[in-house]
Amino acid sequence: MRTDIESATPALCRIQLANELRRLRIASELKANRVCARLIWSPSKLTRLEGAENTVVEPADVIALCEIYGAGKEAKKELVEFARVTKEKKDWWQNPEYHPLITPVFRAFLGLESSASGLLNYESEFVPGLLQTEAYIRAIYQEAHREMTPDDVERHVAIRMTRQENLLRKPNPLRYTVIINESVLRRRVGSAELMREQLAHIVKTAEGRAHVRVQVVPFALGVHPGMNGKFVIFQFDEPTVAPSIVYLESLADSWVSRKERYVQRYEDTFRDLQALAPGHQESLGLIKKAIKEF
């Protein structure tokens, strides 16, 4: 088996299941609308399955698709086991307390983040979520989302702090490579003391964990490839689990894309930023300098 199913998270099972079902359909040369017509499904049902959007996947649905696609006995058994895990286990973000705050796209994001082997992240406005302190998170929600209730603010804080546990996963912590604009270091969120603590936390995390790498794009660099905004690229060590996937976000919407040409464009942009920005150690030096200036 490609994945140790008994120890796999529901999120990883949904992603691998989605990837395999999509691969099988393409290999069988069947269009999605033909599959839906044969099973009397709505088109959105197959789209959700192939997009890993369903919290629970019914084994009966997987069996029906495997029969249409002509999947082998072993492949069918493995895919049904993936579906079984989604019914028997729950991801932490399925806690009912978080339901009102987690949109379908954000749920997909959390699943990808918890399952990915590596994450490439460019941030232009905020300290990246995986490197934020609790005080910084709280200040963002209190100042930028003043319509939010205190309870909801605390739920958002809890969600973001729980996400950071991906950097502590054992035995395979998330490999995190992040590039931040210098404006992130200079933009004050909360008090000066809060900012000093936040920037010191970035340095401590990056110096204490070999799998975390930070670079800073300085103002002096001028125009650069990341000026179109933030993005995240999820990477998977096993191509059979999923190809790289990009996550984009705007004020109005957020979405994930698996389209190879889009993912390639953002991967190229990230590599260009890595080449242009000062290296890891020099960038940490820039952060330490910014701490002294608050």
Side-chain angles (χ1 to χ4, degrees):
M1 288 189 178
R2 300 185 183 94
T3 299
D4 182 357
I5 295 178
E6 291 306 316
S7 62
T9 64
L12 180 59
C13 287
R14 285 193 299 271
I15 291 169
Q16 183 138 342
L17 184 58
N19 192 54
E20 287 296 305
L21 289 175
R22 187 167 55 251
R23 185 189 65 78
L24 285 169
R25 178 176 60 77
I26 293 171
S28 65
E29 299 183 346
L30 286 171
K31 297 292 185 183
N33 59 349
R34 286 186 59 194
V35 174
C36 292
R38 289 178 63 175
L39 293 174
I40 319 178
W41 285 3
S42 68
S44 63
K45 179 171 180 175
L46 185 59
T47 298
R48 290 195 303 272
L49 275 173
E50 292 190 357
E53 295 176 18
N54 289 346
T55 300
V56 172
V57 179
E58 293 295 337
D61 290 341
V62 173
I63 292 171
L65 289 171
C66 285
E67 290 176 354
I68 290 175
Y69 301 153
K73 183 178 179 180
E74 286 303 313
K76 182 172 145 179
K77 178 181 177 182
E78 183 178 57
L79 294 180
V80 169
E81 284 297 296
F82 287 146
R84 179 184 61 78
V85 171
T86 72
K87 290 180 69 70
E88 296 179 357
K89 296 182 182 180
K90 288 187 177 182
D91 296 300
W92 63 263
W93 55 87
Q94 291 178 247
N95 184 327
E97 185 179 9
Y98 299 146
H99 283 178
L101 307 179
I102 297 180
T103 64
V105 175
F106 187 39
R107 185 166 62 242
F109 175 93
L110 293 172
L112 291 167
E113 187 177 67
S114 69
S115 305
S117 306
L119 195 154
L120 309 179
N121 185 191
Y122 171 68
E123 288 284 349
S124 59
E125 299 299 323
F126 298 105
V127 170
L130 293 180
L131 297 177
Q132 292 175 358
T133 64
E134 186 173 330
Y136 185 93
I137 301 166
R138 187 173 290 108
I140 288 175
Y141 281 102
Q142 289 175 339
E143 295 177 18
H145 302 276
R146 296 187 178 182
E147 78 288 352
M148 197 171 287
T149 67
D151 284 347
D152 278 350
V153 168
E154 292 309 310
R155 290 186 185 98
H156 276 290
V157 171
I159 288 170
R160 195 156 297 183
M161 294 302 292
T162 304
R163 285 177 50 207
Q164 294 180 11
E165 294 177 8
N166 286 305
L167 297 178
L168 306 174
R169 289 188 319 221
K170 292 182 180 181
N172 300 309
L174 179 68
R175 296 191 310 272
Y176 188 42
T177 305
V178 60
I179 302 175
I180 57 178
N181 194 287
E182 185 178 353
S183 60
V184 172
L185 310 182
R186 305 296 177 183
R187 179 170 294 105
R188 179 167 159 171
V189 173
S191 66
E193 180 182 3
L194 187 156
M195 283 303 301
R196 287 193 295 269
E197 291 175 352
Q198 171 60 80
L199 298 181
H201 176 70
I202 297 174
V203 174
K204 181 180 179 181
T205 303
E207 288 184 335
R209 297 187 175 96
H211 55 279
V212 177
R213 180 178 177 83
V214 178
Q215 288 181 263
V216 176
V217 178
F219 291 140
L221 188 61
V223 177
H224 62 83
M227 295 183 74
N228 286 320
K230 62 174 286 184
F231 59 91
V232 174
I233 301 170
F234 301 101
Q235 298 179 311
F236 300 86
D237 283 346
E238 295 183 44
T240 55
V241 174
S244 293
I245 297 171
V246 66
Y247 171 82
L248 302 171
E249 192 174 275
S250 70
L251 183 62
D253 200 3
S254 55
W255 60 97
V256 295
S257 177
R258 293 173 171 81
K259 292 184 178 179
E260 186 176 351
R261 66 180 185 278
Y262 292 157
V263 174
Q264 185 65 57
R265 184 172 181 179
Y266 280 97
E267 287 179 331
D268 290 345
T269 296
F270 196 85
R271 279 194 292 268
D272 289 344
L273 285 168
Q274 282 184 298
L276 290 169
H280 178 67
Q281 291 301 328
E282 187 178 349
S283 292
L284 293 182
L286 292 174
I287 298 173
K288 292 174 183 178
K289 180 180 177 183
I291 293 173
K292 296 176 181 178
E293 295 175 358
F294 268 105

